[in-house]
């Protein structure tokens, strides 16, 4: 692919072959979409010798673009506001890049040229990444959930990325990732584990091969990728869905084994489709990584993936990554959630691993800085996914902070217990990315140590700030859409409901706007659910996903019926 900056506007249909933008009628140069008013992308025809007043204006503009991109901005040099690729001479381009460096330096940011291309005869255009870690953060963070069927090579791939050593073909790399003895014996992940991969300002990888501890990786990184390794076997699907729903990742990396298509492995291929549909249902952008290409060529696998992605109900545009230019094109198109990059790699030979790490380096955070600041100003809500009881230390809870800020010595309440009550607690210490820290902010995952052992705790509980309404519920109303059901759904239908970190069986006790024939595939209605075992903390606006066997559905909580707790 020799085209430049194939960025797709969300409202524009991309070319079917996904290779080039339609050519301009007046000349041979391709065009970009017009410059977006919002977001972190800025077009500049040239930045040569600006006046002092103009320079200050440019710095202010860069600062705004960095805020829009959560610390990252993309500058297209030699491009008009209309998207026309005019280009600059080599001298003007050199001068423009120097000016951009000076602009970034004034803000404490860094620049790196992502790619250049010649247009016309002696003109060139360039795409530059400007990065500035926000003042209240140690680095820019992106959470990537890793999905895929059993034996696809997910844990092995993460072991290679995080530890910098290729696999020996017999699973040596995954030994650094698996958490439990039964996982080591079977080779199958059954729990949720975390791995990290850092990048410095120049885009060089910082992993355990270059840093001895997680704390050192974090300190040396300007951008940190946190991988969420999820189970691939069908029997652990509930754990996988809980991880996707509870941790709210920014991106999904779907791993497919190349030999699986050639040997027609129905279990792995079905789980690949299942995980792909989960990402689409939760509106998460995703990429696909085809592994084990050293064993089997990826041609048949790519053909199968393209047919699945283009099928009715998915309608995605596959883009096979073959060069650095493809990488930048794919990462720029991720916010539209329409382009799906496909990487073909080998964890044994290291084939194309550099393209995958380059993609992770330029992968933009999905949450804007404005939205993040809004969440940080809300009252604390920490969703609990793991609980440990450590002698002489107390209770340790792991999960993700969905809103607010938690510091050491913060006074919170934990619950709801089986009777719907909440218990006051104090945070003793905080760990993030396997290293101690003093504060955790909205959208970050962490482990919190509480000052005492509290009986009756379970996964799915929450830690709340003292200013939040501490009311649990047994009944709630939601607007749902049935994605698939073989027959019809009526009152009394029981299903496993996932709401954030909550995973519990619930029954439909009332269906509004529905006739006697019940709800079928693609039907939507407002329904009232009742939890089967114990009350949960649910708020209006939370997204839910329910499944039972082949039945799948999604929805939004519209009303919560608070549980009346009797004192004493």
């Amino acid at each position: 692919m020799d085209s430049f900056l194939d960025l797709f506007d969300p409202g524009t249909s991309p070319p079917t072959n996904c290779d080039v933008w339609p050519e301009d009628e007046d000349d041979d140069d391709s065009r970009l979409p017009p410059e977006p008013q919002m977001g972190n992308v800025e077009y500049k025809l040239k930045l040569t010798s600006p006046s002092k007043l103009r320079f200050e204006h440019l710095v202010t503009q860069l600062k705004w673009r960095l805020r829009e991109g959560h610390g990252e901005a993309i500058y297209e040099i030699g491009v008009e506001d209309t998207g026309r690729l005019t280009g600059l001479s080599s001298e003007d381009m050199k001068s423009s890049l120097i000016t951009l460096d000076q602009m970034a330096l004034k803000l404490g940011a860094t620049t790196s040229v992502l790619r250049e291309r010649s247009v016309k005869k002696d003109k060139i255009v360039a795409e530059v990444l400007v990065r500035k870690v926000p003042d209240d953060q140690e680095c820019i963070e992106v959470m990537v959930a890793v999905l895929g069927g059993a034996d696809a090579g997910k844990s092995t791939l993460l072991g290679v990325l995080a530890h910098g050593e290729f696999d020996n073909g017999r699973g040596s790399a995954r030994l650094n990732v698996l958490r439990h003895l039964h996982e080591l014996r079977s080779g199958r992940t059954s729990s949720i584990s975390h791995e990290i991969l850092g990048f410095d300002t120049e885009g060089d990888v910082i992993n355990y091969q270059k840093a001895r501890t997680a704390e050192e990786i974090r300190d040396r990184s300007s951008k940190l990728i946190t991988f969420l390794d999820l189970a691939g076997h069908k029997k652990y699907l509930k754990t996988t869905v809980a991880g996707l729903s509870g941790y709210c990742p920014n991106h999904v990396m779907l791993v497919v084994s190349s030999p699986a298509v050639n040997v027609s492995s129905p279990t792995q291929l079905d789980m690949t489709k299942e995980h792909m549909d989960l990402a689409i249902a939760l509106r998460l952008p995703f990429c696909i990584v085809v592994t084990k290409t050293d064993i089997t060529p990826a041609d048949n696998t790519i053909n199968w993936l393209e047919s699945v992605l283009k099928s009715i109900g998915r309608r995605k545009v596959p883009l096979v990554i073959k060069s650095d230019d493809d990488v930048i094109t794919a990462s720029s198109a991720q916010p539209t959630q329409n382009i799906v990059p496909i990487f073909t790699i080998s964890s044994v030979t290291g084939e194309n691993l550099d393209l995958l790490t380059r993609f992770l380096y330029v992968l933009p955070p999905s949450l804007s800085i404005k939205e993040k600041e809004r969440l940080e100003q809300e009252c604390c809500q920490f969703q609990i996914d793991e609980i440990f009881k450590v002698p002489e230390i107390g209770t340790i809870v792991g999960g993700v902070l969905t809103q607010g800020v938690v510091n050491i010595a913060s006074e919170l309440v934990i619950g709801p217990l089986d009777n719907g009550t909440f218990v006051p607690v104090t945070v003793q210490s905080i760990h993030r990315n396997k290293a101690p820290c003093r504060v955790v902010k909205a959208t970050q995952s962490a482990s919190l140590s509480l000052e005492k052992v509290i009986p009756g705790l379970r996964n799915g509980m929450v830690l709340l700030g003292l200013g939040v309404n501490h009311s649990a519920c047994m009944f709630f109303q939601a607007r749902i859409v049935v994605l698939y059901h073989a027959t019809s759904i009526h009152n009394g239908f029981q299903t496993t409901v996932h709401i954030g970190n909550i995973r519990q069986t619930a029954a439909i006790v009332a269906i509004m706007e529905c006739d006697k024939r019940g709800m079928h595939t693609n039907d939507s209605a407002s329904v009232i659910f009742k939890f089967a075992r114990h009350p949960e903390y649910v708020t209006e606006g939370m997204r839910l996903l329910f499944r039972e066997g082949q039945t799948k559905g999604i929805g939004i909580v519209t009303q919560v019926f608070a549980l009346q707790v009797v004192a004493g």
Side-chain angles (χ1 to χ4, degrees):
M1 173 175 167
D2 58 358
S3 60
F4 174 70
L5 306 177
D6 307 52
L7 304 180
F8 297 106
D9 184 74
T12 307
S13 298
T16 54
N17 62 4
C18 210
D19 279 339
V20 294
W21 255 125
E23 293 185 347
D24 185 46
E25 296 178 356
D26 299 327
D27 52 49
D28 295 330
D29 295 333
S30 57
R31 282 180 176 269
L32 296 179
E35 180 185 57
Q37 296 299 314
M38 308 299 290
N40 69 332
V41 179
E42 179 71 28
Y43 295 173
K44 289 298 177 189
L45 181 57
K46 61 180 179 178
L47 295 170
T48 56
S49 305
S51 64
K52 184 176 180 180
L53 183 62
R54 171 65 173 164
F55 182 80
E56 292 299 328
H57 172 73
L58 291 171
V59 171
T60 302
Q61 193 176 51
L62 173 58
K63 185 176 182 179
W64 187 81
R65 290 296 188 183
L66 286 170
R67 285 179 58 83
E68 284 288 294
H70 202 180
E72 293 182 335
I74 301 293
Y75 267 62
E76 315 288 2
I77 309 298
V79 182
E80 299 180 14
D81 290 346
T82 60
R84 179 186 176 91
L85 304 182
T86 303
L88 298 174
S89 64
S90 58
E91 291 183 1
D92 285 346
M93 178 59 71
K94 182 178 180 181
S95 177
S96 296
L97 293 178
I98 290 175
T99 300
L100 185 57
D101 283 339
Q102 293 172 344
M103 293 161 51
L105 183 62
K106 187 158 186 178
L107 295 176
T110 60
T111 64
S112 59
V113 178
L114 296 178
R115 54 180 171 173
E116 293 183 345
R117 185 197 169 189
S118 298
V119 294
K120 299 181 179 178
K121 293 183 179 180
D122 56 350
K123 304 290 186 180
I124 56 175
V125 288
E127 184 169 55
V128 185
L129 171 67
V130 185
R131 174 174 292 163
K132 180 184 184 299
V133 178
D135 296 333
D136 60 345
Q137 292 181 213
E138 295 175 335
C139 58
I140 297 171
E141 295 187 53
V142 178
M143 180 177 285
V144 178
V146 184
L147 299 178
D151 303 322
K154 302 183 299 298
S155 298
T156 298
L157 174 60
L158 292 189
V160 171
L161 290 173
H163 295 268
E165 296 180 359
F166 294 157
D167 187 57
N168 63 356
R170 298 185 297 275
S172 62
R174 69 187 178 198
L175 299 179
N176 296 315
V177 177
L178 300 179
R179 299 175 60 190
H180 304 292
L181 180 60
H182 69 273
E183 293 179 333
L184 295 173
R185 289 173 175 171
S186 65
R188 290 177 176 173
T189 302
S190 62
S191 60
I192 301 173
S193 61
H194 300 256
E195 288 296 327
I196 59 175
L197 178 68
F199 295 94
D200 61 17
T201 56
E202 301 298 325
D204 294 330
V205 172
I206 301 175
N207 52 27
Y208 287 106
Q209 192 176 46
K210 298 182 179 180
R212 290 176 294 180
T213 63
E215 187 173 11
E216 189 176 347
I217 293 177
R218 186 189 64 186
D219 291 342
R220 294 175 54 185
S221 301
S222 64
K223 185 169 187 176
L224 193 69
I225 306 295
T226 302
F227 294 107
L228 202 63
D229 188 15
L230 300 174
H233 198 278
K234 186 175 182 179
K235 65 188 282 190
Y236 305 122
L237 183 58
K238 290 183 179 179
T239 302
T240 301
V241 177
L244 271 181
S245 176
Y247 279 90
C248 305
N250 306 113
H251 195 84
V252 168
M253 185 165 71
L254 182 62
V255 181
V256 183
S257 170
S258 185
V261 174
N262 292 275
V263 300
S264 299
S265 173
T267 302
Q268 186 175 146
L269 299 183
D270 288 345
M271 290 308 300
T272 299
K273 294 180 182 178
E274 180 89 23
H275 289 171
M276 185 185 299
D277 291 339
L278 282 174
I280 294 173
L282 294 173
R283 298 180 181 177
L284 295 172
F286 65 97
C287 67
I288 298 177
V289 178
V290 180
T291 60
K292 304 182 183 179
T293 57
D294 56 296
I295 300 176
T296 305
D299 297 341
N300 292 338
T301 306
I302 291 175
N303 292 335
W304 178 79
L305 286 170
E306 289 178 342
S307 65
V308 172
L309 289 168
K310 294 177 181 178
S311 62
I312 297 176
R314 299 184 180 97
R315 297 193 180 279
K316 300 293 183 180
V317 179
L319 173 59
V320 180
I321 305 299
K322 298 179 180 179
S323 66
D324 285 340
D325 196 62
D326 293 349
V327 169
I328 309 302
T329 299
S331 65
S332 301
Q334 284 306 288
T336 69
Q337 301 185 14
N338 192 45
I339 307 300
V340 179
I342 301 177
F343 297 85
T344 57
I345 66 101
S346 169
S347 297
V348 176
T349 65
E351 176 191 3
N352 291 336
L353 273 175
D354 57 332
L355 295 179
L356 179 59
T357 54
R358 182 72 169 172
F359 175 77
L360 295 171
Y361 170 64
V362 297
L363 186 65
S366 61
L367 193 66
S368 68
I369 190 67
K370 292 181 181 178
E371 178 65 14
K372 191 172 188 302
E373 288 177 348
R374 185 192 69 80
L375 291 174
E376 289 177 359
Q377 293 171 0
E378 300 286 341
C379 201
C380 164
Q381 181 176 325
F382 184 90
Q383 296 182 348
I384 299 174
D385 292 292
E386 292 183 300
I387 300 173
F388 307 94
K389 294 180 181 179
V390 182
E392 301 180 1
I393 293 180
T395 300
I396 296 176
V397 295
V400 62
L401 184 65
T402 57
Q403 61 186 45
V405 176
V406 173
N407 299 282
I408 294 177
S410 292
E411 295 182 353
L412 310 170
V413 295
I414 191 171
L417 302 178
D418 289 346
N419 59 1
T421 59
F422 289 77
V423 179
V425 293
T426 303
V427 177
Q428 296 290 91
S429 64
I430 302 174
H431 276 68
R432 293 197 63 246
N433 299 320
K434 305 177 183 178
C437 62
R438 300 191 62 83
V439 62
V440 56
K441 299 182 179 181
T443 72
Q444 296 178 343
S445 58
S447 296
L448 310 181
S449 174
L450 309 180
E451 86 282 11
K452 57 183 178 181
V453 175
I454 304 169
L457 296 186
R458 52 179 169 76
N459 296 348
M461 287 185 171
V462 292
L463 281 164
L464 301 175
L466 299 180
V468 177
N469 180 23
H470 310 141
S471 58
C473 72
M474 287 294 292
F475 295 86
F476 67 93
Q477 184 172 333
R479 183 79 185 180
I480 66 170
V481 177
V482 180
L483 301 178
Y484 176 79
H485 186 67
T487 55
S488 60
I489 295 177
H490 298 271
N491 290 345
F493 175 76
Q494 290 190 339
T495 180
T496 301
V497 175
H498 298 266
I499 310 176
N501 63 325
I502 298 170
R503 184 182 73 187
Q504 189 182 159
T505 300
I508 295 179
V509 297
I511 304 178
M512 281 71 80
E513 312 164 17
C514 183
D515 54 29
K516 294 182 180 180
R517 68 185 184 90
M519 295 184 67
H520 297 76
T521 300
N522 295 329
D523 284 350
S524 64
S526 289
V527 304
I528 296 179
F529 285 95
K530 178 186 178 182
F531 287 119
R533 296 189 297 276
H534 42 68
E536 303 281 8
Y537 180 77
V538 180
T539 59
E540 295 180 6
M542 296 182 74
R543 183 179 296 274
L544 69 88
L545 189 150
F546 64 90
R547 56 174 299 279
E548 187 63 38
Q550 296 297 316
T551 300
K552 305 182 190 68
I554 57 176
I556 297 289
V557 177
T558 56
Q559 188 176 358
V560 176
F561 304 96
L563 180 68
Q564 299 298 320
V565 179
V566 179

